[in-house]
Amino acid sequence: MELLQQLNDIFSQQLGEFGLLIILGGLGLVMILGVLPLMLNHREDPMKKFQRDVKSNATPRKSKKDRLRNDGGVAAQLDKFASYLEPNNKDELSAMQLKMRQAGYLAPDSVRVFHFAQFALALLGLGLGFVYVTFIDPEIADDQTTMLGYLFGPGVVGYLLPKYWITRRVEERKQAIEEAFPDSLDMLLVCVEAGQSLEQSIVRVSAELRASYAELAQEYDIVAYELKAGKDKDRVLRDMGTRCGVQDISAFVTVLIQSATFGTSIAEALRVYASEMRDKRVMRAEEKANKLPTKMTLTTMMFTVPPLLVILVGPSFKAISSFGG
């Protein structure tokens, strides 16, 4: 106890009242950063290695991505900690995978990369907070609340940053798909009326949209590949509606399924729905235009009224002040 008290006095003289706490936190951070590489480089399970060798012998040709995975790349390192980097609940895992697909990240290990990014950025934020509190502004240790805020605040921000990025990506992608969808319906209608099947039309429209609307073209590519693989058409279309998360596409999928079920013309259904989507896009543009004056009112008042008051009242106020003097 005497030794601990002496250390506390020494660190308090150097770093302030909470000097010992800062040193212990720094040592804990160093231990975490030192143990993490050792954990990532631990020996692989022999059974998993055997199973991988069997699969490699069964499939002589491998893509570059698979070779990197088997040679100990980043994906292979994340595979070792799949139980820590993925939710154990299947419903939570499915929801997270759906959210990553809606954000445009279709890789099988996207969920693991997301959670690893949260963990790594949180550690980086804690390290930056520790450096700031210890070396840049040691006097901040006098206020415990402020010190804890500067110490753990960057870690919390680093942990929440990937979630904010994914949420923003999902919203931007949904908006891009929603804006491109009416044009794609017109192109699908032209292809179907020209005599092509729905599958061929989707492939052609995907190729045409790839330069201008890459997000929707990617979704059409997935639909085309799944149809070529022999997956049920209704299931493929429903998966597209779920994956995009756009209400217009979900309704379009329902129209196509009903048209195929009742034997009606797909071209007629496309014509009617494309007309509705064009009208809906015009209505959305008009709605945004009608909201613009309301949004500009506050900005106009903030940047116009104060300068105007200065111009009008300023000379009078100066004259009154000089007259009083």
Side-chain angles (χ1 to χ4, degrees):
M1 294 296 294
E2 295 180 357
L3 179 61
L4 183 62
Q5 184 64 34
Q6 293 177 359
L7 291 176
N8 189 16
D9 295 338
I10 295 174
F11 293 136
S12 298
Q13 293 176 1
Q14 299 294 329
L15 301 176
E17 182 180 358
F18 302 97
L20 183 60
L21 179 62
I22 295 174
I23 294 298
L24 292 177
L27 291 176
L29 182 62
V30 171
M31 289 180 62
I32 292 175
L33 295 178
V35 171
L36 183 61
L38 297 178
M39 292 174 60
L40 292 176
N41 293 324
H42 74 84
R43 187 176 180 181
E44 187 179 2
D45 187 3
M47 183 58 68
K48 291 184 178 180
K49 184 177 180 180
F50 175 74
Q51 293 176 355
R52 191 184 69 232
D53 293 339
V54 171
K55 292 181 180 179
S56 63
N57 293 330
T59 56
R61 290 187 178 181
K62 295 181 182 180
S63 63
K64 183 177 179 181
K65 182 178 180 180
D66 293 334
R67 290 197 301 270
L68 290 175
R69 181 183 296 269
N70 292 334
D71 291 340
V74 177
Q77 300 290 345
L78 295 179
D79 286 342
K80 299 177 183 179
F81 301 95
S83 59
Y84 300 100
L85 298 176
E86 289 183 354
N88 295 325
N89 191 342
K90 292 184 179 180
D91 295 336
E92 295 180 0
L93 179 60
S94 300
M96 193 63 205
Q97 288 175 343
L98 176 60
K99 192 170 184 179
M100 297 300 293
R101 292 191 183 100
Q102 289 178 347
Y105 300 108
L106 305 179
D109 54 354
S110 58
V111 177
R112 302 172 190 173
V113 174
F114 170 76
H115 288 290
F116 179 76
Q118 282 189 317
F119 179 72
L121 290 177
L123 283 180
L124 179 61
L126 288 175
L128 293 176
F130 175 76
V131 170
Y132 180 83
V133 172
T134 306
F135 301 104
I136 299 178
D137 192 6
E139 297 180 356
I140 204 174
D142 297 336
D143 188 356
Q144 183 178 5
T145 304
T146 306
M147 184 197 70
L148 292 177
Y150 278 95
L151 184 61
F152 295 103
V156 174
V157 173
Y159 180 80
L160 296 178
L161 187 61
K163 185 178 295 186
Y164 168 76
W165 172 260
I166 293 298
T167 303
R168 184 177 177 183
R169 281 277 302 173
V170 170
E171 295 301 325
E172 291 179 351
R173 197 167 185 270
K174 285 182 179 180
Q175 185 177 0
I177 291 176
E178 193 176 78
E179 292 177 355
F181 189 57
D183 295 336
S184 69
L185 287 180
D186 293 333
M187 299 173 69
L188 280 175
L189 176 60
V190 172
C191 293
V192 170
E193 288 184 338
Q196 293 183 341
S197 64
L198 182 61
E199 292 82 355
Q200 293 173 340
S201 301
I202 290 175
V203 173
R204 179 59 186 271
V205 171
S206 173
E208 295 293 335
L209 292 177
R210 194 168 292 116
S212 54
Y213 303 111
E215 293 83 3
L216 187 57
Q218 185 183 38
E219 295 297 332
Y220 281 147
D221 282 335
I222 295 174
V223 171
Y225 291 147
E226 289 182 346
L227 290 176
K228 289 180 180 178
K231 195 173 180 179
D232 183 66
K233 183 188 296 185
D234 294 351
R235 184 61 182 171
V236 170
L237 294 176
R238 293 185 188 277
D239 289 344
M240 177 186 176
T242 303
R243 190 170 55 248
C244 293
V246 179
Q247 184 62 33
D248 295 340
I249 294 184
S250 299
F252 169 69
V253 167
T254 304
V255 169
L256 288 183
I257 293 175
Q258 291 179 350
S259 177
T261 302
F262 296 107
T264 58
S265 174
I266 295 179
E268 187 63 26
L270 285 172
R271 183 179 294 106
V272 174
Y273 199 77
S275 178
E276 291 181 358
M277 288 297 100
R278 285 194 298 270
D279 295 340
K280 192 172 182 179
R281 182 166 61 180
V282 173
M283 292 173 62
R284 283 198 297 263
E286 292 177 350
E287 182 182 0
K288 292 181 180 179
N290 293 331
K291 289 181 179 178
L292 189 60
T294 305
K295 295 180 179 179
M296 291 295 295
T297 300
L298 183 61
T299 306
T300 303
M301 293 178 62
M302 290 177 58
F303 293 99
T304 304
V305 175
L308 185 61
L309 290 176
V310 172
I311 293 172
L312 295 178
V313 182
S316 302
F317 180 77
K318 183 179 181 181
I320 293 173
S321 300
S322 61
F323 178 77

